[in-house]
Amino acid sequence: MAGDHDATEILKPLVFRLHENAPAVVREVLLERGWTEFDKKEQGDRDWNLYWRSSPFRMTDYCSIKPWQRLNHYPEAVRITRKDYLVRHLKRMKGAYGSALYEFSPVAFIMPNDYVKFVAEYSKEKQSPGRRSSYWICKPVDLSRGRGILIFQDIKDFAYDCTVIVQKYISNPLLISGYKLDLRLYVCVTSFCPLTIYTYEEGLVRFATEKFDLGSLDNVYSHLTNTSINKYGASYKKYKEGIGHGCKWTFSKFRSYLRIYGVDDLLLWKKINNIVMLTLLAVTPLPAASNCFELFGFDILIDDKFKPWLLEVNYNPALCLDCSIDATVKRKLLHDIVELLNYKQIDALRQNQAAGTKAGRTHVSLRTPGKSALEEAPGFLSCQGEAEYTAVSSVQSALQAAKGSILKANQTKKTARGHPRKTLTSQLRERMNMTKTSSQAKAETRSKQLPGAVHSPQQFVPPSCWLPTPNFWNCKLTTLPYFLSEKDQRPIPRVGDFVLIFPFNEAALQASRGAINVKSIIQEINKLVIKQFPSKQMKTKKRVDYLASM
Ligand code: ADP
């Protein structure tokens, strides 16, 4: 029985699988945590816990996902990460819910389709007496890292040869010692259905390496904050007064800087969180898929009035380590992501949690199109329709193993759980770093058995439910989604530096279940804004009233 086993036997390492081009730091961090790398020749197709790719997964990867596995992309997450898609979605939201709420993205046009509209806007400004004409930034829709960007004021300097967006250039950015900066904010969505969003409290402030100067629009080192550009600038390595060497700060340093100057950094943070929620709402619903997560890189520019602007959302935010600040922030970020993935001891077995048999169970990650998850399975967990089947012959032996695990979990359940939570991988990491004798190590490992060592007993279903089912789509949900706490079946409020920002209250949670009710969520966000920014109260109140009347 599992309860009688030596703890070291139970703590099998978790296995990661990396696709080519996956960032090296992902491998480093996972090895550091005691994981092992998937070996195609030695291991079965399903014998892994985390698959990390830089490109999207195939639909079959989502369909064959197992309870012990996680994928680092959500299907169709690119809907907000391509610049033109983002523009389109935000425009639609502005149209539906009012520009006041969605005023955080600079006005933008998609070329060539919107050329006439752009020229009309440009001409209107030119003809307004006393109005200084705007600056514009032109960005190819499917390029990144500052490639192909052009900034102009006069339309005669505007030329393009591929699909681009032309966006109002924020010409009054917040400057520190004369240098422009923007924020790279990490956002992790552990589920789009129900919507579950975490923002990372630590992050990167990225500086341009030459002083901001509207007189030299073609100087990329003055106007673009991409590290991929600035690291090749002549001033990158030099000491820059007020900034230091290189081109990065951490958020912590930036917050301290703001506080010194009496700026309310918490207020700024709240505004940024609102931007994140409103942006992600713009792409919902995405096809439901279980056991996935998406790490987005939100680029936020702050202007000289401390208003945050969303510039773009990045798929696969860069995880290369260009400097020591990168190493500190990104390594911790990855550790916290693994914690957020909430692996349990039983996941290391890579077996059917209930049946204890390898590859016995299939999570079906797609819902019947057009049918709300609420209809399929009422309750908070309703979104993840699953079908399961298990080889009948293995059921009995599997039950024995599962019973042992349940017993173990129940014995340890009363242990208090602090933050960051102890997880299998953190235990493994600790074990790797231990210099104690093996008997000491064993005793300690036993005493650290996780309260949530197995998925909770109420998830176990009679063996008949594990049999293949002819109706794949209408099967009952039997496994708690990984992003919910076992205690209250709600998202965990904080994991490491990840802070849950959505759902932020019960009403938002209810509205994001099943067929997501965007209008209700927007109403809740409006109420939140009233509380957060009382000075905006009247304006926002009108908006709430307006929405309520829709
Ligand atoms: P890329 O995907 O090529 O990095 P971004 O949209 O992130 O494209 O733009 C690159 C950089 O250009 C940003 O980091 C920022 O410094 C600057 N930038 C982009 N859009 C604007 C804008 N509307 N106003 C001011 N600066 C901008």
Side-chain angles (χ1 to χ4, degrees), residues 83 106 137 139 143-147 149 167-170 180 182 206 223-226 299 301 311-312 314:
K83 295 177 177 69
I137 183 165
K139 308 188 261 192
L143 287 185
S144 58
R145 292 181 271 136
R147 290 170 295 174
I149 287 184
Q167 196 176 55
K168 233 173 213 176
Y169 186 63
I170 309 297
K180 176 175 170 177
D182 75 358
R206 309 175 311 168
H223 290 278
L224 307 188
T225 51
N226 305 76
D299 289 350
L301 186 118
L311 298 184
E312 72 156 346
N314 291 277

Side-chain angles (χ1 to χ4, degrees), residues 300-325:
I300 307 279
L301 186 118
I302 300 163
D303 70 17
D304 58 4
K305 299 191 175 57
F306 294 99
K307 176 182 160 59
W309 294 88
L310 175 71
L311 298 184
E312 72 156 346
V313 182
N314 291 277
Y315 189 73
N316 283 324
L319 290 175
C320 49
L321 309 183
D322 284 321
C323 59
S324 59
I325 293 170

Side-chain angles (χ1 to χ4, degrees), residues 277 500-506 508-509 521 524-526 528:
M277 287 190 282
L500 181 75
I501 61 159
F502 191 94
F504 51 87
N505 66 15
E506 188 61 30
L509 184 147
I521 296 174
E524 288 306 314
I525 294 178
N526 265 313
L528 186 72

